[in-house]
């Protein structure tokens, strides 16, 4: 078996374990679906109050907000849930098995991020289907089918931020607040729940210097036909550049964080 096959097999094993732990709490799935429906219901009735030139009808704002809600789930999985999984491993005392295994701490941390990402994508698809069936969300076909590969590219563009927070967890043990802060900040400047044009001028620049805004705009365009501020290919190129440049840098910093923990003897502390 090649080295790549062994690493893939180990990563798949961690994915299966995380999935088995998740489904073992059956009420968690029911609660997640109920929470999603309740949030949709709130936005559905809030949309009835929206009267703005940029939203010709309440249905337009509802579609705008639902796509933002789905992307919020991916953001949360990237910046909070994935580093949170690492924190749980440290608290449970199971992370040391990854540290001393041939798989290694860095590959182990990256593998811990697979299930939260996969779950966020599946949850997003289910949310869109529920919004379509129960609230008549006007999905655009066939362009909506392209949203999945774009979402996967968006996850790769978001991934470096999650890796950096995970590196902070390895070194500082208490870096989870950074994920919560970033989720809140990106939710505002990327226009998840309202157009970025409404932002004050002193902060509007922040919508153009990170990969979340082009991902949000492109997914809205593909799913519900929202207009693009720039070309689709420019948005794809932006996401690809962020992923291609920042992922290697973030992985390198994670490796350095593991080295710091080893030198201090604190890598498995919590």
């Amino acid at each position: 078996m090649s080295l790549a096959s062994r690493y893939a097999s180990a990563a798949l094993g961690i994915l299966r374990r995380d999935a088995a732990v998740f489904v073992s709490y059956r009420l968690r799935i029911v609660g997640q679906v109920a929470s999603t429906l309740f949030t949709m219901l709130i936005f559905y009735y809030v949309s009835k109050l929206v009267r703005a030139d940029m939203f010709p009808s309440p249905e337009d704002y509802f579609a705008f907000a639902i796509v933002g809600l789905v992307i919020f789930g991916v953001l949360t999985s990237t910046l909070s849930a994935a580093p949170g999984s690492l924190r749980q491993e440290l608290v449970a005392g199971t992370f040391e098995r990854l540290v001393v295994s041939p798989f290694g701490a860095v590959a182990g941390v990256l593998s811990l991020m697979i299930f939260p990402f996969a779950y966020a994508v599946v949850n997003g698809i289910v949310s869109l289907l529920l919004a379509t069936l129960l609230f008549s969300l006007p999905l655009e076909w066939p362009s909506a089918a392209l949203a999945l590969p774009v979402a996967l590219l968006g996850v790769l563009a978001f991934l470096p931020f999650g890796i950096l927070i995970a590196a902070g967890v390895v070194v500082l043990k208490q870096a989870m607040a950074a994920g919560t802060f970033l989720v809140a900040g990106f939710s505002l400047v990327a226009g998840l729940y309202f157009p970025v044009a409404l932002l004050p001028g002193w902060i509007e620049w922040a919508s153009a210097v990170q990969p979340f805004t082009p991902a949000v705009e492109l997914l809205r365009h593909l799913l519900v036909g929202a207009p693009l501020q720039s070309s689709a290919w420019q948005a794809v190129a932006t996401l690809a550049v962020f992923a291609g440049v920042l992922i290697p840098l973030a992985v390198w910093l994670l490796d350095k964080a593991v080295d710091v923990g080893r030198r201090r003897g604190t890598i498995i502390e919590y």
Side-chain angles (χ1 to χ4, degrees):
M1 182 182 293
S2 67
L3 180 62
S5 298
R6 290 197 296 270
Y7 269 76
S9 178
L12 184 59
I14 292 177
L15 173 61
R16 287 198 300 263
R17 182 208 62 176
D18 291 345
V21 170
F22 181 85
V23 299
S24 68
Y25 296 93
R26 293 176 177 82
L27 288 180
R28 181 187 295 181
I29 299 175
V30 175
Q32 197 81 41
V33 173
S35 175
T36 298
L37 288 174
F38 183 72
T39 304
M40 286 183 184
L41 191 64
I42 290 176
F43 276 104
Y44 178 77
Y45 285 107
V46 167
S47 70
K48 301 298 183 182
L49 304 175
V50 174
R51 298 291 186 272
D53 293 338
M54 59 189 66
F55 299 114
S57 69
E59 290 75 18
D60 291 311
Y61 176 72
F62 179 69
F64 181 95
I66 288 300
V67 176
L69 181 65
V70 170
I71 297 173
F72 178 80
V74 177
L75 262 180
T76 302
S77 73
T78 305
L79 303 182
S80 295
S85 297
L86 172 59
R87 170 71 177 164
Q88 291 174 358
E89 296 286 336
L90 289 169
V91 173
T94 53
F95 185 61
E96 59 188 275
R97 298 179 183 178
L98 295 174
V99 174
V100 300
S101 71
F103 194 46
V106 173
V109 171
L110 297 178
S111 298
L112 289 173
M113 297 181 171
I114 298 175
F115 179 76
F117 294 155
Y119 176 76
V121 172
V122 172
N123 187 58
I125 294 172
V126 172
S127 298
L128 291 172
L129 291 176
L130 290 175
T132 302
L133 294 174
L134 301 179
F135 301 99
S136 301
L137 178 72
L139 286 181
E140 294 284 330
W141 295 100
S143 64
L146 297 175
L148 183 57
V150 170
L152 294 177
L153 179 60
V155 166
L156 292 177
F158 303 166
L159 182 61
F161 299 91
I163 295 174
L164 290 175
I165 296 173
V169 171
V170 171
V171 175
L172 303 174
K173 315 304 177 185
Q174 296 292 338
M176 295 301 301
T180 303
F181 177 79
L182 287 176
V183 168
F186 286 132
S187 297
L188 292 176
V189 301
L192 293 192
Y193 303 121
F194 56 84
V196 296
L198 298 179
L199 291 171
W202 62 269
I203 198 174
E204 190 174 351
W205 62 270
S207 67
V209 295
Q210 32 74 22
F212 301 93
T213 302
V216 171
E217 289 185 353
L218 186 53
L219 285 172
R220 278 203 180 105
H221 175 70
L222 293 173
L223 290 170
V224 296
L228 284 171
Q229 299 300 316
S230 58
S231 72
W233 287 113
Q234 181 178 343
V236 169
T238 300
L239 295 176
V241 168
F242 268 95
V245 173
L246 293 186
I247 286 179
L249 177 60
V251 171
W252 179 79
L253 290 173
L254 174 60
D255 183 59
K256 294 303 177 184
V258 171
D259 288 343
V260 169
R262 282 179 172 146
R263 288 199 303 270
R264 292 179 177 175
T266 61
I267 190 170
I268 61 174
E269 290 181 354
Y270 64 89

